[in-house]
Amino acid sequence: MDVKVSEPSTPFPGTIHETPGGGILLSSLDDVINWARSNSLWPLVFGTSCCAIEMMSVASAKYDFSRFGFEVFRASPRQADVIIISGTIVNKMAPVLKRLFDQMPEPKYVIAMGACATSGGPFFYNTYSVVKGADHVIPVDVYLAGCPPRPEALLHALITLQEKIKSGLTREQIRSKMSEEYGK
Amino acid sequence: MENEPLLNSLQTGFPEATIAIGSDWPEMSIESTQLLEVIEKLKGSDNWDFNYLFCETCVDWKTHFTMVYHLSSTQFRHSMVLKAKVDREIPQIESVVKFYKTAEMLEREVYDLFGIQFLNHPDLRRLLLTEDWVGYPLRKDYHDPINMIKL
Ligand code: SF4
C-alpha cells in the first residue's frame, strides 16, 4: 500500500542552501517568530454556555487540538494566548470578558465560536440580556458559524487563526488581498 | 403515595380547592390568601409530609400571575404542584421561607424577574440582575428599547 506523505499547508518559512558539511538557512526573523507563535497557542479556560461542551470535546482525546499546538487550557489570562469565546455573552459577563482580554499578554487572539458569540445568534431578538456579538466588547480574529459548531469546525477555525498569524497580515491587508484575488 | 391515592387524599383534605392530575403530578389551585395554612397542613401532616420545595416559579398570564410551587416528600417520594393566583395590580403573596429555607433564593429570583412582592421575606433583593435595574424582564409587557430588538 502506498503511503502518501502530504506537505504541510504552511511549511517552515525560509530556504535552505545546501553547503558541504551542513546547510545555511535563510529567513526573516518576523516570519520565524510568527511561525513559532502560531504553533504554540494556549487557550484560556473560558466557556459561557453550550458551545463550551464542543470546545471541551475538541480538547479531549477524540479530536485533540494539542496536535496543532493548542496544547493546554490555561486558567489564568496571564498565561493564555488565545481566548475562544464559546457561548453566549450576556451584558453582565461583558465587563468580565473585557477584563480577561485586557489581562492577557500581547500578542493575543480571539476566536468567536458559534452563533451567540458572532452575533447573539438565537438570542438576537426579544432578549434583554444578551450582547449581540462579542465583537462589541473585544476585537475578534476568527468568526465561526454554527449552533454549536462541530468540533471539526472549531479545528478549522483554529487552523485559520494559525494561518492568519503566519501570514503576518492585518485584517485590512487580508481583505484587500482577497478582493484583488477574487476581483471584488 | 401514587398519584391517584395522593389526589384522593388531597381532595378529602382540601374540599374547596380544585385538584386534578397534571402532566406528572396532582395539581392543586388555591387562593393566595390561603397559601400559608395550606402549606403548613401539607408539610405538617404525617401522611403527606411535603418537606421539600424543589421548584418555585411564576407564570405571567397577562391578566394575572400564577405562583407555582413544586413540593415533594423525601420520605414518601411523592410530589405535587401547588398553584396560587396573584393579582397583577398588587402583586403580593406571603413568603414561604419559614417553611422552606430554599425559598429564600427562589423567591428572590421570582422577585427579580417578575416583581412579585413576598411578604415577610427576610432579604428581598434582586438576585441575577444588577441592583439598579429598572423593570421586571420576564413580564410579558416588559420592553427595553436599548437592549431588545423586537420581532
Ligand atoms: S451558538 Fe448555539 S450552541 Fe453555541 S452557545 Fe449559542 S446557543 Fe449554545
Side-chain angles (χ1 to χ4, degrees):
Chain A
M1 196 182 124
D2 279 351
V3 177
K4 218 170 133 193
V5 180
S6 60
E7 285 285 308
S9 61
T10 42
F12 181 78
T15 47
I16 296 167
H17 291 265
E18 296 289 349
T19 51
I24 299 168
L25 179 72
L26 285 180
S27 180
S28 81
L29 210 48
D30 269 354
D31 285 348
V32 176
I33 289 172
N34 283 340
W35 176 79
R37 231 171 226 169
S38 70
N39 285 313
S40 170
L41 289 166
W42 287 6
L44 178 70
V45 179
F46 185 83
T48 41
S49 44
C50 12
C51 273
I53 304 294
E54 297 297 302
M55 180 182 72
M56 287 174 230
S57 84
V58 175
S60 59
K62 187 161 179 184
Y63 295 95
D64 192 16
F65 65 10
S66 304
R67 295 179 292 155
F68 304 100
F70 290 85
E71 226 49 58
V72 274
F73 279 109
R74 301 314 291 185
S76 160
R78 301 185 198 286
Q79 299 168 346
D81 305 295
V82 55
I83 176 165
I84 303 172
I85 308 174
S86 49
T88 324
I89 301 299
V90 293
N91 288 337
K92 226 176 161 182
M93 193 65 191
V96 182
L97 176 62
K98 174 87 176 75
R99 185 153 172 198
L100 286 170
F101 180 73
D102 288 344
Q103 285 178 337
M104 281 162 64
E106 295 276 359
K108 47 195 171 188
Y109 308 97
V110 179
I111 292 174
M113 177 183 183
C116 286
T118 45
S119 68
F123 309 106
F124 188 81
Y125 292 110
N126 298 338
T127 38
Y128 58 94
S129 59
V130 175
V131 177
K132 284 148 191 92
D135 50 4
H136 289 293
V137 187
I138 56 175
V140 173
D141 292 284
V142 179
Y143 295 88
L144 174 54
C147 179
R150 279 201 54 92
E152 294 91 335
L154 179 58
L155 283 178
H156 182 249
L158 295 165
I159 291 166
T160 307
L161 176 65
Q162 288 184 326
E163 258 150 36
K164 182 184 176 180
I165 297 168
K166 279 177 195 151
S167 75
L169 302 175
T170 64
R171 178 160 72 173
E172 285 67 32
Q173 286 168 326
I174 291 174
R175 274 211 189 123
S176 65
K177 218 176 136 189
M178 280 175 87
S179 59
E180 268 169 35
E181 230 167 81
Y182 301 110
K184 275 180 201 150
Chain B
M1 256 187 274
E2 293 294 314
N3 275 348
E4 283 297 330
L6 178 62
L7 180 91
N8 294 335
S9 73
L10 285 171
Q11 242 147 12
T12 11
F14 304 95
E16 71 280 16
T18 38
I19 313 174
I21 297 275
S23 50
D24 290 308
W25 304 297
E27 297 184 2
M28 180 158 104
S29 301
I30 53 161
E31 295 299 318
S32 61
T33 44
Q34 297 173 312
L35 181 72
L36 288 189
E37 51 181 288
V38 170
I39 286 195
E40 190 169 10
K41 217 165 146 187
L42 288 173
K43 193 183 176 191
S45 132
D46 283 339
N47 54 342
W48 291 320
D49 190 33
F50 284 108
N51 55 3
Y52 179 35
L53 174 73
F54 66 93
C55 179
E56 177 176 355
T57 188
C58 182
V59 184
D60 184 358
W61 294 99
K62 290 187 177 170
T63 49
H64 62 276
F65 295 112
T66 305
M67 280 301 300
V68 185
Y69 303 83
H70 284 74
L71 303 172
S72 186
S73 165
T74 52
Q75 186 189 344
F76 301 119
R77 305 249 157 222
H78 54 210
S79 306
M80 70 167 293
V81 184
L82 191 64
K83 294 180 176 179
K85 194 170 156 183
V86 179
D87 193 63
R88 213 164 190 290
E89 303 307 315
I90 319 155
Q92 282 184 343
I93 193 162
E94 279 292 331
S95 162
V96 296
V97 173
K98 69 172 168 187
F99 297 110
Y100 305 104
K101 185 74 179 148
T102 178
E104 191 174 330
M105 287 294 150
L106 296 170
E107 285 180 353
R108 275 180 66 185
E109 186 185 347
V110 171
Y111 164 71
D112 198 2
L113 300 172
F114 287 94
I116 308 272
Q117 305 283 336
F118 291 95
L119 307 173
N120 303 319
H121 186 284
D123 180 26
L124 199 59
R125 285 179 293 131
R126 285 195 182 273
L127 179 65
L128 303 167
L129 303 174
T130 49
E131 295 277 315
D132 53 356
W133 193 282
V134 182
Y136 304 105
L138 285 195
R139 286 193 181 186
K140 296 285 183 201
D141 56 2
Y142 180 80
H143 188 52
D144 178 348
I146 297 167
N147 291 314
M148 263 167 100
I149 301 171
K150 283 263 183 182
L151 188 68

